[in-house]
Amino acid sequence: MISGKPIGRLSLYRRLLNSLLQDGEQSICSHDLAARAGVTAAQVRRDIMNIGYSGNPNRGYDVGKLVESIGNFLDAPEGQNVVLVGVGNLGRAILAFFAGRRPKLSIVAAFDNDPEKIGRLIKGCRCYSIKHADKIIQELDISIATLCVPAKVAQEVADILVQAGIKGILNFAPVPLHVPYYLYVEDIDMTMSLEKVAYFARIT
Amino acid sequence: MISGKPIGRLSLYRRLLNSLLQDGEQSICSHDLAARAGVTAAQVRRDIMNIGYSGNPNRGYDVGKLVESIGNFLDAPEGQNVVLVGVGNLGRAILAFFAGRRPKLSIVAAFDNDPEKIGRLIKGCRCYSIKHADKIIQELDISIATLCVPAKVAQEVADILVQAGIKGILNFAPVPLHVPYYLYVEDIDMTMSLEKVAYFARIT
DNA sequence: TAGATTGTTAATCGATTAACAATC
DNA sequence: TAGATTGTTAATCGATTAACAATC
C-alpha cells in the first residue's frame, strides 16, 4: 500500500516523461527526472522501485517502458468514468480543462439542479438532473465524482453520491466532507491555498 | 516558524468559525472544532496555541476572539493584492470565485496576451497586457500571483513575475516551477489530484 | 468542589534523506 | 575495466498522537 504523496508524484513523472518522449528522449536518470519534478533523486528511485520497474545501472530508465509501467500501476485497464457535479463557473472550467486530457479517465456526465442546464451539452458533456444520480451513475458505470457545488450544499450532495455508489471524490467545495471510511476524498481548497501563499509571501 | 499544513488548517478553522459566528455560537471546544475540520482535537489545540491564543479551561475557546486572533496571525494588516495571470476558462472561474470573498486578499488585476481581452473588465477585474507586468505590479503594490496559463508557458511567465517582484505564486499550471528560494509556490495540480482519486477509488 | 477542557510534554509514527554496495 | 547509476538499507527528520497535570 502506497500513500497519497508517491501516487501524486507518479502522476507527475508520467506527464513529464510523456513530454520527454515527444522530444525523442530514450532514457533518463533519476537525477534528471528529479530536477524536472522538483523532488530528490532518491525519491524518484524509491517511487519507481515501488511500482516494480527496474532501471539499468549506468544508463538509467527507459522512458517509454517507464511510462508504460506507471500506466499499468495507476490506471484501471478498462478506464474509469467520472461525473462532474455543479456546472457553475468552476464546473465549466474543469469540464473544459479535462476534456480529452486523459483517455482512461473521462468525464462522461455532469449533474446540476438548474432546469436551464439539464439536458444540454455543456463543454461537450451531457448535463443531467442530480435527481437521477442513482440511475446515471449505474448506467454509465461512474466511480468518481468531481464536486464543484457551493459549500452550503456540498455535504448533502456528497451524501447522494455516496448513496449512488461513488468510490472517490475530488472536492472543490471549501468545506471538509464527512464520508464513510472506504471512500477516498481529495480536497482542492483554493481559498486555503491562496491564504497560504499570502502568509508565506508576507513573512519571508 | 510554522509550516504549510498548520497555516492551511488555520485558514480552514477561520472559515468554520465564521459560519459558527453567524449561527450565534459564542464558544467552541477543541473537540467540536476538530470534528468540523476533519482533524484531531490535539491538533486544533496545538494550532491555536501556536498563534498565541488561549482558551478557557472548562468553557473552550471564544469564537469571536479566536477568529480575530487567527486574522491577526494570517492577514497582513493593510491587506495584500493579487494578480491573476491567464484569463482562460479557469482564470475566469477563479476571478468569479474569489471576487469579494476575502477583503484583505483581493485580485486587483489580470494579465493576458490576447488583444481581445486586454483593456477589458472581466468578472469585475481589469485585464492588462503581460508586457506591462512590471509597471502594474509596482503601481498596484501586488505581491501575489495566481498562475492560470498553459503548462508550456508557465515557467516563462513565472520568470517575468519573479522579475517584477512577486513574492508568492499560486500555480494552477500542471508543471513544477523553478523559482528563487525566497519565493513561495503553492501548486494546485488538478490532473494529479484526479488521478490520485482514481487510484484510491480503484484499489480500496 | 467536581467536571470538563486546556496547554504541553514525551512517545510514536511515517516519510524523507544520505549513503553505499551491487551492477551494467 | 572504470565510471555512472541503480536498489536498498539505516539514520534522520518532522509532524502527529496520546497522555496528563494544570486550571477555570
Side-chain angles (χ1 to χ4, degrees), chain A residues 11 14-15 35 73 75-76 80 89 102 123 174 178 189 195 198-199 202, chain B residues 11 14-15 35 73-74 76 80 89 102 174 178 189 195 198-199 202:
Chain A
S11 161
R14 170 158 69 175
R15 214 181 312 150
F73 186 86
D75 297 334
Q80 282 163 285
N89 281 311
R102 291 223 51 77
K123 305 278 178 192
H178 294 95
D189 188 332
E195 291 195 343
Y199 177 80
R202 186 160 70 86
Chain B
S11 161
R14 171 159 66 175
R15 214 180 313 150
F73 186 85
L74 285 185
Q80 282 162 287
N89 281 310
R102 292 223 49 79
H178 294 96
D189 188 332
E195 293 196 342
Y199 177 80
R202 187 159 71 86

PDB file of all heavy atoms in Angstrom, chain A residues 11 14-15 35 73 75-76 80 89 102 123 174 178 189 195 198-199 202, chain B residues 11 14-15 35 73-74 76 80 89 102 174 178 189 195 198-199 202:
ATOM      1  N   SER A  11       2.026  10.349 -10.972  1.00  0.00           N
ATOM      2  CA  SER A  11       1.213  11.041 -11.972  1.00  0.00           C
ATOM      3  C   SER A  11       2.019  12.157 -12.629  1.00  0.00           C
ATOM      4  O   SER A  11       1.983  12.346 -13.843  1.00  0.00           O
ATOM      5  CB  SER A  11      -0.037  11.593 -11.287  1.00  0.00           C
ATOM      6  OG  SER A  11      -0.638  12.613 -12.037  1.00  0.00           O
ATOM      7  N   ARG A  14       4.834  10.758 -14.930  1.00  0.00           N
ATOM      8  CA  ARG A  14       4.287  10.298 -16.211  1.00  0.00           C
ATOM      9  C   ARG A  14       4.111  11.458 -17.177  1.00  0.00           C
ATOM     10  O   ARG A  14       4.454  11.355 -18.353  1.00  0.00           O
ATOM     11  CB  ARG A  14       2.957   9.590 -15.983  1.00  0.00           C
ATOM     12  CG  ARG A  14       2.233   9.321 -17.302  1.00  0.00           C
ATOM     13  CD  ARG A  14       1.243   8.213 -17.211  1.00  0.00           C
ATOM     14  NE  ARG A  14       0.094   8.556 -16.379  1.00  0.00           N
ATOM     15  CZ  ARG A  14      -0.953   7.749 -16.236  1.00  0.00           C
ATOM     16  NH1 ARG A  14      -0.962   6.568 -16.828  1.00  0.00           N
ATOM     17  NH2 ARG A  14      -1.951   8.107 -15.473  1.00  0.00           N
ATOM     18  N   ARG A  15       3.582  12.551 -16.658  1.00  0.00           N
ATOM     19  CA  ARG A  15       3.357  13.697 -17.526  1.00  0.00           C
ATOM     20  C   ARG A  15       4.680  14.231 -18.069  1.00  0.00           C
ATOM     21  O   ARG A  15       4.815  14.523 -19.249  1.00  0.00           O
ATOM     22  CB  ARG A  15       2.615  14.783 -16.738  1.00  0.00           C
ATOM     23  CG  ARG A  15       1.657  15.578 -17.577  1.00  0.00           C
ATOM     24  CD  ARG A  15       0.985  16.641 -16.757  1.00  0.00           C
ATOM     25  NE  ARG A  15       0.465  16.112 -15.502  1.00  0.00           N
ATOM     26  CZ  ARG A  15       0.359  16.825 -14.397  1.00  0.00           C
ATOM     27  NH1 ARG A  15       0.763  18.079 -14.378  1.00  0.00           N
ATOM     28  NH2 ARG A  15      -0.137  16.278 -13.297  1.00  0.00           N
ATOM     29  N   ALA A  35      15.054  16.606 -11.025  1.00  0.00           N
ATOM     30  CA  ALA A  35      15.179  18.043 -11.227  1.00  0.00           C
ATOM     31  C   ALA A  35      13.922  18.601 -11.900  1.00  0.00           C
ATOM     32  O   ALA A  35      13.417  19.659 -11.522  1.00  0.00           O
ATOM     33  CB  ALA A  35      16.416  18.351 -12.062  1.00  0.00           C
ATOM     34  N   PHE A  73       0.390   0.711 -13.337  1.00  0.00           N
ATOM     35  CA  PHE A  73       0.180   0.847 -11.908  1.00  0.00           C
ATOM     36  C   PHE A  73      -0.987   1.781 -11.593  1.00  0.00           C
ATOM     37  O   PHE A  73      -1.840   1.455 -10.771  1.00  0.00           O
ATOM     38  CB  PHE A  73       1.453   1.373 -11.247  1.00  0.00           C
ATOM     39  CG  PHE A  73       1.382   1.418  -9.761  1.00  0.00           C
ATOM     40  CD1 PHE A  73       1.704   0.298  -9.014  1.00  0.00           C
ATOM     41  CD2 PHE A  73       0.972   2.560  -9.098  1.00  0.00           C
ATOM     42  CE1 PHE A  73       1.623   0.319  -7.624  1.00  0.00           C
ATOM     43  CE2 PHE A  73       0.884   2.593  -7.715  1.00  0.00           C
ATOM     44  CZ  PHE A  73       1.213   1.469  -6.985  1.00  0.00           C
ATOM     45  N   ASP A  75      -3.415   3.286 -13.767  1.00  0.00           N
ATOM     46  CA  ASP A  75      -4.684   3.261 -14.485  1.00  0.00           C
ATOM     47  C   ASP A  75      -5.454   1.956 -14.307  1.00  0.00           C
ATOM     48  O   ASP A  75      -4.848   0.890 -14.200  1.00  0.00           O
ATOM     49  CB  ASP A  75      -4.432   3.456 -15.983  1.00  0.00           C
ATOM     50  CG  ASP A  75      -3.821   4.811 -16.296  1.00  0.00           C
ATOM     51  OD1 ASP A  75      -4.034   5.750 -15.499  1.00  0.00           O
ATOM     52  OD2 ASP A  75      -3.123   4.921 -17.321  1.00  0.00           O
ATOM     53  N   ALA A  76      -6.762   2.073 -14.321  1.00  0.00           N
ATOM     54  CA  ALA A  76      -7.599   0.884 -14.454  1.00  0.00           C
ATOM     55  C   ALA A  76      -7.524   0.472 -15.922  1.00  0.00           C
ATOM     56  O   ALA A  76      -7.665   1.319 -16.802  1.00  0.00           O
ATOM     57  CB  ALA A  76      -9.029   1.208 -14.066  1.00  0.00           C
ATOM     58  N   GLN A  80     -11.770   4.525 -16.144  1.00  0.00           N
ATOM     59  CA  GLN A  80     -12.722   4.866 -15.082  1.00  0.00           C
ATOM     60  C   GLN A  80     -13.526   6.079 -15.529  1.00  0.00           C
ATOM     61  O   GLN A  80     -12.985   7.012 -16.125  1.00  0.00           O
ATOM     62  CB  GLN A  80     -11.971   5.197 -13.785  1.00  0.00           C
ATOM     63  CG  GLN A  80     -11.473   3.970 -13.036  1.00  0.00           C
ATOM     64  CD  GLN A  80     -10.408   4.325 -12.015  1.00  0.00           C
ATOM     65  OE1 GLN A  80      -9.272   4.599 -12.369  1.00  0.00           O
ATOM     66  NE2 GLN A  80     -10.782   4.308 -10.748  1.00  0.00           N
ATOM     67  N   ASN A  89     -19.389  28.334 -12.838  1.00  0.00           N
ATOM     68  CA  ASN A  89     -18.163  28.826 -13.485  1.00  0.00           C
ATOM     69  C   ASN A  89     -17.037  27.812 -13.379  1.00  0.00           C
ATOM     70  O   ASN A  89     -16.405  27.456 -14.365  1.00  0.00           O
ATOM     71  CB  ASN A  89     -17.697  30.125 -12.811  1.00  0.00           C
ATOM     72  CG  ASN A  89     -18.487  31.322 -13.277  1.00  0.00           C
ATOM     73  OD1 ASN A  89     -18.648  31.515 -14.476  1.00  0.00           O
ATOM     74  ND2 ASN A  89     -18.990  32.101 -12.339  1.00  0.00           N
ATOM     75  N   ARG A 102      -7.105  12.893 -20.403  1.00  0.00           N
ATOM     76  CA  ARG A 102      -6.646  11.545 -20.066  1.00  0.00           C
ATOM     77  C   ARG A 102      -7.681  10.535 -20.557  1.00  0.00           C
ATOM     78  O   ARG A 102      -8.777  10.446 -19.997  1.00  0.00           O
ATOM     79  CB  ARG A 102      -6.460  11.386 -18.547  1.00  0.00           C
ATOM     80  CG  ARG A 102      -5.285  12.207 -18.020  1.00  0.00           C
ATOM     81  CD  ARG A 102      -4.444  11.441 -17.020  1.00  0.00           C
ATOM     82  NE  ARG A 102      -4.060  10.141 -17.505  1.00  0.00           N
ATOM     83  CZ  ARG A 102      -3.093   9.913 -18.392  1.00  0.00           C
ATOM     84  NH1 ARG A 102      -2.410  10.890 -18.894  1.00  0.00           N
ATOM     85  NH2 ARG A 102      -2.834   8.678 -18.772  1.00  0.00           N
ATOM     86  N   LYS A 123     -19.772  22.115 -22.686  1.00  0.00           N
ATOM     87  CA  LYS A 123     -18.355  21.793 -22.943  1.00  0.00           C
ATOM     88  C   LYS A 123     -18.225  20.329 -23.402  1.00  0.00           C
ATOM     89  O   LYS A 123     -17.323  19.606 -22.986  1.00  0.00           O
ATOM     90  CB  LYS A 123     -17.495  22.010 -21.688  1.00  0.00           C
ATOM     91  CG  LYS A 123     -17.589  23.397 -21.086  1.00  0.00           C
ATOM     92  CD  LYS A 123     -16.708  24.377 -21.796  1.00  0.00           C
ATOM     93  CE  LYS A 123     -16.865  25.779 -21.180  1.00  0.00           C
ATOM     94  NZ  LYS A 123     -16.238  26.803 -22.021  1.00  0.00           N
ATOM     95  N   PRO A 174     -15.242  24.371  -0.580  1.00  0.00           N
ATOM     96  CA  PRO A 174     -14.337  24.734   0.517  1.00  0.00           C
ATOM     97  C   PRO A 174     -14.878  24.336   1.871  1.00  0.00           C
ATOM     98  O   PRO A 174     -15.043  25.164   2.753  1.00  0.00           O
ATOM     99  CB  PRO A 174     -14.195  26.250   0.369  1.00  0.00           C
ATOM    100  CG  PRO A 174     -15.465  26.673  -0.268  1.00  0.00           C
ATOM    101  CD  PRO A 174     -15.960  25.537  -1.116  1.00  0.00           C
ATOM    102  N   HIS A 178     -17.802  14.712   5.281  1.00  0.00           N
ATOM    103  CA  HIS A 178     -17.831  13.504   6.102  1.00  0.00           C
ATOM    104  C   HIS A 178     -18.389  12.367   5.275  1.00  0.00           C
ATOM    105  O   HIS A 178     -19.552  12.390   4.889  1.00  0.00           O
ATOM    106  CB  HIS A 178     -18.668  13.745   7.359  1.00  0.00           C
ATOM    107  CG  HIS A 178     -18.060  14.760   8.282  1.00  0.00           C
ATOM    108  ND1 HIS A 178     -18.409  16.094   8.264  1.00  0.00           N
ATOM    109  CD2 HIS A 178     -17.082  14.655   9.216  1.00  0.00           C
ATOM    110  CE1 HIS A 178     -17.696  16.755   9.159  1.00  0.00           C
ATOM    111  NE2 HIS A 178     -16.877  15.919   9.753  1.00  0.00           N
ATOM    112  N   ASP A 189      -8.807  23.101  -2.045  1.00  0.00           N
ATOM    113  CA  ASP A 189      -9.392  24.253  -1.364  1.00  0.00           C
ATOM    114  C   ASP A 189      -8.618  25.492  -1.801  1.00  0.00           C
ATOM    115  O   ASP A 189      -7.575  25.819  -1.256  1.00  0.00           O
ATOM    116  CB  ASP A 189      -9.300  24.039   0.144  1.00  0.00           C
ATOM    117  CG  ASP A 189     -10.055  25.105   0.914  1.00  0.00           C
ATOM    118  OD1 ASP A 189     -10.186  26.230   0.398  1.00  0.00           O
ATOM    119  OD2 ASP A 189     -10.504  24.822   2.031  1.00  0.00           O
ATOM    120  N   GLU A 195      -4.591  31.689   0.772  1.00  0.00           N
ATOM    121  CA  GLU A 195      -4.222  32.283   2.063  1.00  0.00           C
ATOM    122  C   GLU A 195      -2.855  31.790   2.519  1.00  0.00           C
ATOM    123  O   GLU A 195      -2.104  32.522   3.157  1.00  0.00           O
ATOM    124  CB  GLU A 195      -5.298  31.973   3.113  1.00  0.00           C
ATOM    125  CG  GLU A 195      -6.594  32.705   2.810  1.00  0.00           C
ATOM    126  CD  GLU A 195      -7.567  32.732   3.977  1.00  0.00           C
ATOM    127  OE1 GLU A 195      -7.411  31.930   4.911  1.00  0.00           O
ATOM    128  OE2 GLU A 195      -8.495  33.560   3.946  1.00  0.00           O
ATOM    129  N   ALA A 198      -0.389  33.785   0.578  1.00  0.00           N
ATOM    130  CA  ALA A 198      -0.352  35.144   1.121  1.00  0.00           C
ATOM    131  C   ALA A 198       0.491  35.197   2.391  1.00  0.00           C
ATOM    132  O   ALA A 198       1.326  36.080   2.569  1.00  0.00           O
ATOM    133  CB  ALA A 198      -1.770  35.636   1.401  1.00  0.00           C
ATOM    134  N   TYR A 199       0.271  34.193   3.260  1.00  0.00           N
ATOM    135  CA  TYR A 199       1.025  34.165   4.520  1.00  0.00           C
ATOM    136  C   TYR A 199       2.526  34.059   4.272  1.00  0.00           C
ATOM    137  O   TYR A 199       3.315  34.851   4.788  1.00  0.00           O
ATOM    138  CB  TYR A 199       0.540  33.002   5.385  1.00  0.00           C
ATOM    139  CG  TYR A 199       1.326  32.867   6.662  1.00  0.00           C
ATOM    140  CD1 TYR A 199       1.062  33.682   7.762  1.00  0.00           C
ATOM    141  CD2 TYR A 199       2.361  31.950   6.765  1.00  0.00           C
ATOM    142  CE1 TYR A 199       1.790  33.574   8.924  1.00  0.00           C
ATOM    143  CE2 TYR A 199       3.107  31.833   7.922  1.00  0.00           C
ATOM    144  CZ  TYR A 199       2.813  32.650   8.994  1.00  0.00           C
ATOM    145  OH  TYR A 199       3.553  32.541  10.147  1.00  0.00           O
ATOM    146  N   ARG A 202       4.301  36.918   2.728  1.00  0.00           N
ATOM    147  CA  ARG A 202       4.434  38.053   3.632  1.00  0.00           C
ATOM    148  C   ARG A 202       5.577  37.874   4.622  1.00  0.00           C
ATOM    149  O   ARG A 202       6.320  38.822   4.897  1.00  0.00           O
ATOM    150  CB  ARG A 202       3.123  38.223   4.401  1.00  0.00           C
ATOM    151  CG  ARG A 202       3.051  39.443   5.279  1.00  0.00           C
ATOM    152  CD  ARG A 202       1.616  39.765   5.572  1.00  0.00           C
ATOM    153  NE  ARG A 202       1.012  38.772   6.461  1.00  0.00           N
ATOM    154  CZ  ARG A 202       1.088  38.827   7.790  1.00  0.00           C
ATOM    155  NH1 ARG A 202       1.720  39.830   8.372  1.00  0.00           N
ATOM    156  NH2 ARG A 202       0.529  37.924   8.532  1.00  0.00           N
TER     157      ARG A 202
ATOM    158  N   SER B  11      -6.530  28.612   8.262  1.00  0.00           N
ATOM    159  CA  SER B  11      -7.428  29.209   7.271  1.00  0.00           C
ATOM    160  C   SER B  11      -8.783  28.511   7.297  1.00  0.00           C
ATOM    161  O   SER B  11      -9.839  29.152   7.261  1.00  0.00           O
ATOM    162  CB  SER B  11      -6.771  29.100   5.895  1.00  0.00           C
ATOM    163  OG  SER B  11      -7.720  29.242   4.868  1.00  0.00           O
ATOM    164  N   ARG B  14     -10.777  29.312  10.557  1.00  0.00           N
ATOM    165  CA  ARG B  14     -11.387  30.634  10.485  1.00  0.00           C
ATOM    166  C   ARG B  14     -12.698  30.603   9.725  1.00  0.00           C
ATOM    167  O   ARG B  14     -13.691  31.182  10.155  1.00  0.00           O
ATOM    168  CB  ARG B  14     -10.426  31.632   9.839  1.00  0.00           C
ATOM    169  CG  ARG B  14     -11.100  32.964   9.550  1.00  0.00           C
ATOM    170  CD  ARG B  14     -10.135  34.090   9.394  1.00  0.00           C
ATOM    171  NE  ARG B  14      -9.283  33.947   8.220  1.00  0.00           N
ATOM    172  CZ  ARG B  14      -8.425  34.880   7.836  1.00  0.00           C
ATOM    173  NH1 ARG B  14      -8.288  35.994   8.553  1.00  0.00           N
ATOM    174  NH2 ARG B  14      -7.683  34.712   6.773  1.00  0.00           N
ATOM    175  N   ARG B  15     -12.682  29.874   8.601  1.00  0.00           N
ATOM    176  CA  ARG B  15     -13.901  29.816   7.797  1.00  0.00           C
ATOM    177  C   ARG B  15     -15.013  29.123   8.575  1.00  0.00           C
ATOM    178  O   ARG B  15     -16.154  29.573   8.594  1.00  0.00           O
ATOM    179  CB  ARG B  15     -13.599  29.062   6.502  1.00  0.00           C
ATOM    180  CG  ARG B  15     -14.386  29.582   5.331  1.00  0.00           C
ATOM    181  CD  ARG B  15     -14.060  28.801   4.087  1.00  0.00           C
ATOM    182  NE  ARG B  15     -12.622  28.626   3.909  1.00  0.00           N
ATOM    183  CZ  ARG B  15     -12.077  27.572   3.304  1.00  0.00           C
ATOM    184  NH1 ARG B  15     -12.852  26.604   2.857  1.00  0.00           N
ATOM    185  NH2 ARG B  15     -10.768  27.484   3.169  1.00  0.00           N
ATOM    186  N   ALA B  35     -13.894  18.096  14.907  1.00  0.00           N
ATOM    187  CA  ALA B  35     -14.839  17.270  14.159  1.00  0.00           C
ATOM    188  C   ALA B  35     -15.265  17.982  12.877  1.00  0.00           C
ATOM    189  O   ALA B  35     -15.351  17.369  11.814  1.00  0.00           O
ATOM    190  CB  ALA B  35     -16.055  16.957  15.021  1.00  0.00           C
ATOM    191  N   PHE B  73      -2.935  36.768  12.916  1.00  0.00           N
ATOM    192  CA  PHE B  73      -1.793  35.938  12.559  1.00  0.00           C
ATOM    193  C   PHE B  73      -1.650  35.781  11.055  1.00  0.00           C
ATOM    194  O   PHE B  73      -0.560  35.926  10.509  1.00  0.00           O
ATOM    195  CB  PHE B  73      -1.940  34.561  13.207  1.00  0.00           C
ATOM    196  CG  PHE B  73      -0.746  33.692  13.023  1.00  0.00           C
ATOM    197  CD1 PHE B  73       0.326  33.774  13.893  1.00  0.00           C
ATOM    198  CD2 PHE B  73      -0.679  32.803  11.963  1.00  0.00           C
ATOM    199  CE1 PHE B  73       1.445  32.983  13.715  1.00  0.00           C
ATOM    200  CE2 PHE B  73       0.441  32.012  11.778  1.00  0.00           C
ATOM    201  CZ  PHE B  73       1.513  32.101  12.657  1.00  0.00           C
ATOM    202  N   LEU B  74      -2.772  35.496  10.378  1.00  0.00           N
ATOM    203  CA  LEU B  74      -2.696  35.170   8.947  1.00  0.00           C
ATOM    204  C   LEU B  74      -2.635  36.393   8.045  1.00  0.00           C
ATOM    205  O   LEU B  74      -1.936  36.376   7.033  1.00  0.00           O
ATOM    206  CB  LEU B  74      -3.915  34.335   8.527  1.00  0.00           C
ATOM    207  CG  LEU B  74      -3.991  32.869   8.931  1.00  0.00           C
ATOM    208  CD1 LEU B  74      -5.221  32.238   8.291  1.00  0.00           C
ATOM    209  CD2 LEU B  74      -2.743  32.121   8.506  1.00  0.00           C
ATOM    210  N   ALA B  76      -2.177  40.229   6.487  1.00  0.00           N
ATOM    211  CA  ALA B  76      -1.409  41.466   6.539  1.00  0.00           C
ATOM    212  C   ALA B  76      -2.383  42.560   6.949  1.00  0.00           C
ATOM    213  O   ALA B  76      -3.479  42.635   6.399  1.00  0.00           O
ATOM    214  CB  ALA B  76      -0.811  41.768   5.179  1.00  0.00           C
ATOM    215  N   GLN B  80      -3.326  42.409   1.153  1.00  0.00           N
ATOM    216  CA  GLN B  80      -2.359  42.067   0.110  1.00  0.00           C
ATOM    217  C   GLN B  80      -3.081  42.000  -1.233  1.00  0.00           C
ATOM    218  O   GLN B  80      -4.199  41.503  -1.309  1.00  0.00           O
ATOM    219  CB  GLN B  80      -1.718  40.699   0.406  1.00  0.00           C
ATOM    220  CG  GLN B  80      -0.635  40.739   1.477  1.00  0.00           C
ATOM    221  CD  GLN B  80      -0.342  39.355   2.047  1.00  0.00           C
ATOM    222  OE1 GLN B  80      -1.139  38.814   2.802  1.00  0.00           O
ATOM    223  NE2 GLN B  80       0.796  38.809   1.689  1.00  0.00           N
ATOM    224  N   ASN B  89     -10.602  29.823 -19.435  1.00  0.00           N
ATOM    225  CA  ASN B  89     -11.756  29.279 -18.708  1.00  0.00           C
ATOM    226  C   ASN B  89     -11.508  29.245 -17.205  1.00  0.00           C
ATOM    227  O   ASN B  89     -12.306  29.730 -16.415  1.00  0.00           O
ATOM    228  CB  ASN B  89     -12.038  27.842 -19.169  1.00  0.00           C
ATOM    229  CG  ASN B  89     -12.776  27.798 -20.489  1.00  0.00           C
ATOM    230  OD1 ASN B  89     -13.789  28.467 -20.646  1.00  0.00           O
ATOM    231  ND2 ASN B  89     -12.267  27.035 -21.428  1.00  0.00           N
ATOM    232  N   ARG B 102     -12.489  37.446   0.157  1.00  0.00           N
ATOM    233  CA  ARG B 102     -11.676  37.829   1.309  1.00  0.00           C
ATOM    234  C   ARG B 102     -11.217  39.266   1.132  1.00  0.00           C
ATOM    235  O   ARG B 102     -10.385  39.555   0.281  1.00  0.00           O
ATOM    236  CB  ARG B 102     -10.445  36.916   1.436  1.00  0.00           C
ATOM    237  CG  ARG B 102     -10.810  35.489   1.815  1.00  0.00           C
ATOM    238  CD  ARG B 102      -9.885  34.918   2.883  1.00  0.00           C
ATOM    239  NE  ARG B 102      -9.708  35.814   4.000  1.00  0.00           N
ATOM    240  CZ  ARG B 102     -10.584  35.985   4.998  1.00  0.00           C
ATOM    241  NH1 ARG B 102     -11.694  35.322   5.027  1.00  0.00           N
ATOM    242  NH2 ARG B 102     -10.321  36.825   5.963  1.00  0.00           N
ATOM    243  N   PRO B 174      -0.092  22.765 -14.695  1.00  0.00           N
ATOM    244  CA  PRO B 174       0.322  21.419 -14.252  1.00  0.00           C
ATOM    245  C   PRO B 174       1.773  21.129 -14.563  1.00  0.00           C
ATOM    246  O   PRO B 174       2.098  20.188 -15.262  1.00  0.00           O
ATOM    247  CB  PRO B 174      -0.621  20.502 -15.036  1.00  0.00           C
ATOM    248  CG  PRO B 174      -0.964  21.267 -16.263  1.00  0.00           C
ATOM    249  CD  PRO B 174      -0.880  22.726 -15.933  1.00  0.00           C
ATOM    250  N   HIS B 178      10.359  26.449 -11.350  1.00  0.00           N
ATOM    251  CA  HIS B 178      11.651  26.702 -10.715  1.00  0.00           C
ATOM    252  C   HIS B 178      11.759  28.188 -10.427  1.00  0.00           C
ATOM    253  O   HIS B 178      11.787  29.001 -11.344  1.00  0.00           O
ATOM    254  CB  HIS B 178      12.787  26.238 -11.622  1.00  0.00           C
ATOM    255  CG  HIS B 178      12.801  24.752 -11.826  1.00  0.00           C
ATOM    256  ND1 HIS B 178      12.216  24.149 -12.914  1.00  0.00           N
ATOM    257  CD2 HIS B 178      13.285  23.745 -11.057  1.00  0.00           C
ATOM    258  CE1 HIS B 178      12.363  22.837 -12.817  1.00  0.00           C
ATOM    259  NE2 HIS B 178      12.991  22.562 -11.705  1.00  0.00           N
ATOM    260  N   ASP B 189      -2.611  21.092  -8.691  1.00  0.00           N
ATOM    261  CA  ASP B 189      -2.492  20.283  -9.900  1.00  0.00           C
ATOM    262  C   ASP B 189      -3.726  19.384  -9.997  1.00  0.00           C
ATOM    263  O   ASP B 189      -3.799  18.319  -9.386  1.00  0.00           O
ATOM    264  CB  ASP B 189      -1.203  19.458  -9.830  1.00  0.00           C
ATOM    265  CG  ASP B 189      -0.912  18.731 -11.126  1.00  0.00           C
ATOM    266  OD1 ASP B 189      -1.872  18.415 -11.851  1.00  0.00           O
ATOM    267  OD2 ASP B 189       0.269  18.463 -11.402  1.00  0.00           O
ATOM    268  N   GLU B 195      -6.148  11.968 -10.709  1.00  0.00           N
ATOM    269  CA  GLU B 195      -5.533  10.642 -10.860  1.00  0.00           C
ATOM    270  C   GLU B 195      -5.343   9.960  -9.504  1.00  0.00           C
ATOM    271  O   GLU B 195      -5.445   8.739  -9.393  1.00  0.00           O
ATOM    272  CB  GLU B 195      -4.203  10.756 -11.611  1.00  0.00           C
ATOM    273  CG  GLU B 195      -4.412  11.177 -13.054  1.00  0.00           C
ATOM    274  CD  GLU B 195      -3.192  10.946 -13.940  1.00  0.00           C
ATOM    275  OE1 GLU B 195      -2.084  10.785 -13.405  1.00  0.00           O
ATOM    276  OE2 GLU B 195      -3.365  10.919 -15.178  1.00  0.00           O
ATOM    277  N   ALA B 198      -8.693   8.625  -8.603  1.00  0.00           N
ATOM    278  CA  ALA B 198      -8.981   7.450  -9.431  1.00  0.00           C
ATOM    279  C   ALA B 198      -8.251   6.231  -8.880  1.00  0.00           C
ATOM    280  O   ALA B 198      -8.822   5.149  -8.762  1.00  0.00           O
ATOM    281  CB  ALA B 198      -8.559   7.724 -10.875  1.00  0.00           C
ATOM    282  N   TYR B 199      -6.978   6.417  -8.515  1.00  0.00           N
ATOM    283  CA  TYR B 199      -6.198   5.296  -7.999  1.00  0.00           C
ATOM    284  C   TYR B 199      -6.816   4.744  -6.714  1.00  0.00           C
ATOM    285  O   TYR B 199      -7.053   3.545  -6.594  1.00  0.00           O
ATOM    286  CB  TYR B 199      -4.756   5.736  -7.750  1.00  0.00           C
ATOM    287  CG  TYR B 199      -3.912   4.649  -7.135  1.00  0.00           C
ATOM    288  CD1 TYR B 199      -3.383   3.640  -7.920  1.00  0.00           C
ATOM    289  CD2 TYR B 199      -3.683   4.615  -5.763  1.00  0.00           C
ATOM    290  CE1 TYR B 199      -2.625   2.625  -7.363  1.00  0.00           C
ATOM    291  CE2 TYR B 199      -2.923   3.600  -5.202  1.00  0.00           C
ATOM    292  CZ  TYR B 199      -2.400   2.615  -6.003  1.00  0.00           C
ATOM    293  OH  TYR B 199      -1.660   1.603  -5.449  1.00  0.00           O
ATOM    294  N   ARG B 202     -10.087   2.996  -6.899  1.00  0.00           N
ATOM    295  CA  ARG B 202      -9.990   1.693  -7.543  1.00  0.00           C
ATOM    296  C   ARG B 202      -9.472   0.623  -6.598  1.00  0.00           C
ATOM    297  O   ARG B 202      -9.970  -0.500  -6.588  1.00  0.00           O
ATOM    298  CB  ARG B 202      -9.038   1.819  -8.734  1.00  0.00           C
ATOM    299  CG  ARG B 202      -8.952   0.590  -9.609  1.00  0.00           C
ATOM    300  CD  ARG B 202      -8.425   0.973 -10.962  1.00  0.00           C
ATOM    301  NE  ARG B 202      -7.025   1.331 -10.905  1.00  0.00           N
ATOM    302  CZ  ARG B 202      -6.024   0.441 -10.995  1.00  0.00           C
ATOM    303  NH1 ARG B 202      -6.293  -0.832 -11.121  1.00  0.00           N
ATOM    304  NH2 ARG B 202      -4.774   0.846 -10.953  1.00  0.00           N
TER     305      ARG B 202
END
